[in-house]
Amino acid sequence: MTASQHYRPSRPIGHELRAVLKNYFDEELYSAGLTLLLHLLTSASTRNPIQPAYTPPANFLSLAATLVLHPKYTTNTNNTEFIVHSNAAFKLLRTVISTVGPINADLSSAFVFTGADGPRRTSLRRRGTSTAASSDHEGDDYSFSSLQEGPEPVWEVAQDVWHLIGWAFSCATHHPARWERYRIFLDLLIDAIQRDWQVRTAGDPFLESSSQPSQYSQSQPSQSLSASQESSVKSSLLYKYILDGTSSFGGSTRRLLKAIFSTGTPENIALFPPLFPDETKLQRPGEADSAAPRPRNVHSTFDLDKGDLGDWNDAGSDQEEPDTQPMALDPDPHSPASASTNSSNLTTTFPVNVDPYSTHTYRLSLLTLLWQGCSYPLLTSHVRPDIFLGDLSTHLRFIPPSHLLLFTNVPAYLPFDLLEILTQRALRTHLRLNEKKGRRSRGEEDTEDLLLKDVFVKRVLGAGVERAGWAEGARAALWIEAGARLARGELEGRWDQEVVERGLMERRQRAGEARKKNAIEEDGEGDEAEAVLGRSEGRLKAMLQNWGYVNISRSSV
């Protein structure tokens, strides 16, 4: 499906109307301007869905994104008018992405991070208009005077998208109210990246034919792409974001993965600090809002003859008194923000056992996008897929077993080819595999496919765990379970019942051993890990019985 079939074409907004909108934004009447943009965008869509839609310029969309996230308009205000601005910005961006799409809306120009150390206050003031509009209005200056002393754009306070992502997941741990805003911002951003990448790579012979892991390598020639398609892919949000995050680190993806796996540890916060000043400070109900306009003194007298101008003597008090009850978007029932929180604890750094289901959708989506980008031919010269896989395997190596289940689940949340590679790597890391038939030369790498069902039964099911401890045993059990679900082919030969039962018993005994110097297990997670191990063994037993192996003694599991 092409972009023209799925999205409406874009149409630039006229100069006069954009001048009106600029006046709205200069006066900080954001909700009025954003609502007008939304009406222009959706006009005539029900009568003629292929009619070009009036699309906001890139700098207007950049401003809207800042309003969605900035604490002044969300968590650090009691002014309902400010929160209405933020919600109107979210609605506009969501409609733009779904109606005209990221390419027609020129989000590759609107969603550009200039970095906290880059030129200040330039991206929103002089950022180029959309491609369709720029040809008709070259030289127009749509700087917003409200931003000269107003909130800093999110595109400038964040070093790059990975800085934003890392801090967002730290908020999920320590600042639930802020996470609620980052959550909806990530919804928009991930949706835009996915749609942008899907359209730009549609019909790509590489993506259609490459399903084996061995094809994701530097040997894949980029010359197979046409010049126009290569240019289009290089203009994508995903391509730019990966290059931004790796170009200064020698092509390493460690920082990107640290952002995705951030849980608010001191190390995470040091690497991905807060974006805005006093961001975690919450405005309590009834407190004076320093950012809110002061209400008029409606009881003042007005006598022009005596020079008494009443409340008009108070410069800057030309707004009506706002309501005291803030509006907010409906919270996600799985989000930490939906739980009861104490505002006095939100700025305190303390370890929290985060429910993985509150953030796992975003982490898995970002990992999927990162894998799609790193394994694409145009990026393999900058980011090697094998280095990314090694970095990712290292992160998964230390994840608590209860969280690891999200990554080993089959049917897979992750791309199938990525899960296969990770499973084979993990089996070799966690287990003392039985040697394959035939001798290997010293130093020869073991490259046998462990997910062939016959090889899996002979080399994996009877293997012992490399390290002691319940957590290590649970991780090994989960990867073995994933391997059993991914196993291909048919069994050749007969089952070796004694070997399989001995492997089950040895892994459980090894997991229950007293903690040794090289055991990897955190204090307090033994009971939980033991429960994860027991459930995984039960599921493995059921799968083996479906394979026709019905003589497993109950004492072994």
Side-chain angles (χ1 to χ4, degrees):
M1 182 177 293
T2 64
S4 60
Q5 293 172 326
H6 187 70
Y7 299 112
R8 294 179 64 188
S10 62
R11 181 179 181 180
I13 297 174
H15 175 77
E16 295 81 3
L17 190 52
R18 281 196 286 176
V20 172
L21 289 164
K22 177 182 177 298
N23 289 334
Y24 275 127
F25 296 144
D26 284 344
E27 297 297 328
E28 297 191 62
L29 302 175
Y30 295 124
S31 59
L34 295 168
T35 301
L36 176 56
L37 285 171
L38 182 63
H39 288 323
L40 291 171
L41 176 67
T42 57
S43 62
S45 61
T46 56
R47 297 193 300 270
N48 188 358
I50 64 173
Q51 180 177 342
Y54 286 103
T55 306
N59 57 340
F60 286 17
L61 297 176
S62 300
L63 171 62
T66 295
L67 295 176
V68 170
L69 196 57
H70 202 286
K72 173 183 176 181
Y73 299 97
T74 54
T75 54
N76 196 10
T77 182
N78 283 327
N79 185 2
T80 57
E81 184 179 354
F82 282 4
I83 301 178
V84 169
H85 295 335
S86 180
N87 293 347
F90 170 78
K91 188 174 183 180
L92 174 66
L93 289 174
R94 182 177 58 184
T95 307
V96 165
I97 293 171
S98 61
T99 302
V100 298
I103 297 179
N104 293 339
D106 196 22
L107 293 189
S108 61
S109 297
F111 288 6
V112 175
F113 290 85
T114 60
D117 297 326
R120 308 299 296 175
R121 301 187 186 278
T122 56
S123 61
L124 289 189
R125 292 163 52 199
R126 299 181 182 274
R127 189 171 298 211
T129 57
S130 63
T131 303
S134 59
S135 60
D136 296 333
H137 302 281
E138 292 182 359
D140 287 345
D141 183 6
Y142 290 99
S143 62
F144 302 132
S145 61
S146 63
L147 294 180
Q148 305 301 316
E149 300 298 333
E152 291 188 334
V154 63
W155 314 106
E156 296 181 6
V157 296
Q159 180 179 351
D160 54 21
V161 70
W162 308 105
H163 177 190
L164 184 148
I165 290 169
W167 170 243
F169 287 132
S170 291
C171 288
T173 304
H174 300 300
H175 310 290
R178 286 303 296 159
W179 165 243
E180 178 63 18
R181 303 310 300 187
Y182 278 103
R183 180 183 67 81
I184 65 173
F185 187 87
L186 288 178
D187 279 332
L188 293 171
L189 187 62
I190 292 175
D191 187 29
I193 297 173
Q194 288 174 335
R195 290 172 182 263
D196 182 59
W197 184 257
Q198 180 182 9
V199 173
R200 292 182 188 275
T201 57
D204 189 340
F206 169 76
L207 294 178
E208 292 178 354
S209 60
S210 297
S211 58
Q212 298 301 320
S214 59
Q215 291 180 289
Y216 292 98
S217 66
Q218 288 181 286
S219 61
Q220 182 69 28
S222 61
Q223 288 80 0
S224 59
L225 299 175
S226 65
S228 60
Q229 189 167 27
E230 181 174 336
S231 175
S232 178
V233 171
K234 287 184 176 180
S235 299
S236 67
L237 291 169
L238 181 60
Y239 185 94
K240 292 179 178 180
Y241 288 165
I242 291 178
L243 283 188
D244 288 346
T246 58
S247 58
S248 299
F249 300 91
S252 173
T253 57
R254 291 182 182 178
R255 179 173 172 273
L256 281 57
L257 290 170
K258 286 182 179 180
I260 295 175
F261 286 97
S262 174
T263 57
T265 65
E267 179 187 0
N268 295 149
I269 296 176
L271 187 59
F272 309 109
L275 269 60
F276 304 98
D278 299 324
E279 180 174 358
T280 59
K281 178 184 177 182
L282 299 182
Q283 199 76 20
R284 298 180 180 179
E287 285 185 342
D289 192 346
S290 59
R294 289 174 292 174
R296 293 179 181 176
N297 182 6
V298 296
H299 301 293
S300 298
T301 60
F302 183 88
D303 191 335
L304 189 60
D305 294 334
K306 295 181 179 180
D308 187 358
L309 303 181
D311 60 319
W312 296 102
N313 284 318
D314 187 5
S317 62
D318 56 347
Q319 300 285 345
E320 295 295 335
E321 182 175 2
D323 296 332
T324 57
Q325 296 299 322
M327 297 171 58
L329 298 179
D330 293 334
D332 182 353
H334 299 293
S335 170
S338 63
S340 176
T341 58
N342 186 340
S343 60
S344 63
N345 293 331
L346 294 178
T347 57
T348 304
T349 302
F350 55 93
V352 177
N353 185 19
V354 183
D355 177 10
Y357 291 94
S358 66
T359 60
H360 83 280
T361 301
Y362 305 96
R363 299 185 198 271
L364 293 171
S365 296
L366 290 167
L367 283 176
T368 298
L369 287 170
L370 191 54
W371 168 243
Q372 290 173 348
C374 291
S375 59
Y376 196 79
L378 290 179
L379 272 165
T380 53
S381 59
H382 303 283
V383 183
R384 291 177 53 186
D386 56 333
I387 294 179
F388 164 73
L389 291 168
D391 293 341
L392 178 55
S393 298
T394 300
H395 277 275
L396 295 177
R397 176 75 178 80
F398 301 101
I399 286 183
S402 58
H403 295 208
L404 182 62
L405 183 59
L406 297 170
F407 298 90
T408 62
N409 187 68
V410 180
Y413 295 117
L414 292 173
F416 191 79
D417 57 338
L418 175 58
L419 182 58
E420 280 196 342
I421 298 173
L422 293 175
T423 300
Q424 299 225 36
R425 284 174 170 260
L427 292 175
R428 288 184 165 88
T429 299
H430 291 280
L431 301 178
R432 297 194 298 267
L433 296 174
N434 299 328
E435 286 296 327
K436 66 177 182 180
K437 293 182 179 180
R439 286 190 172 184
R440 273 193 299 139
S441 302
R442 179 173 295 181
E444 180 184 356
E445 185 179 359
D446 182 7
T447 59
E448 186 173 21
D449 188 353
L450 299 178
L451 297 184
L452 293 176
K453 190 172 289 187
D454 191 58
V455 177
F456 184 81
V457 168
K458 295 175 181 177
R459 297 196 61 193
V460 177
L461 288 181
V465 182
E466 189 67 34
R467 294 178 175 85
W470 287 112
E472 188 69 11
R475 294 186 186 100
L478 290 172
W479 285 116
I480 293 173
E481 180 188 348
R485 296 182 188 278
L486 295 170
R488 307 176 299 268
E490 299 294 333
L491 287 175
E492 299 176 4
R494 302 177 61 184
W495 288 83
D496 191 338
Q497 177 177 338
E498 292 184 1
V499 171
V500 175
E501 290 192 2
R502 186 167 60 248
L504 289 166
M505 294 181 65
E506 181 182 344
R507 289 193 293 272
R508 174 165 281 274
Q509 291 173 356
R510 178 72 165 155
E513 288 181 3
R515 184 175 182 181
K516 297 182 179 180
K517 184 177 180 180
N518 66 337
I520 301 178
E521 182 173 358
E522 296 294 334
D523 294 335
E525 74 174 351
D527 293 341
E528 181 184 17
E530 182 180 4
V532 172
L533 173 62
R535 291 192 293 267
S536 180
E537 286 179 333
R539 293 189 296 266
L540 178 63
K541 176 181 176 181
M543 279 187 287
L544 295 181
Q545 289 175 339
N546 291 333
W547 288 6
Y549 188 73
V550 297
N551 294 320
I552 302 180
S553 63
R554 295 186 179 182
S555 62
S556 63
V557 293

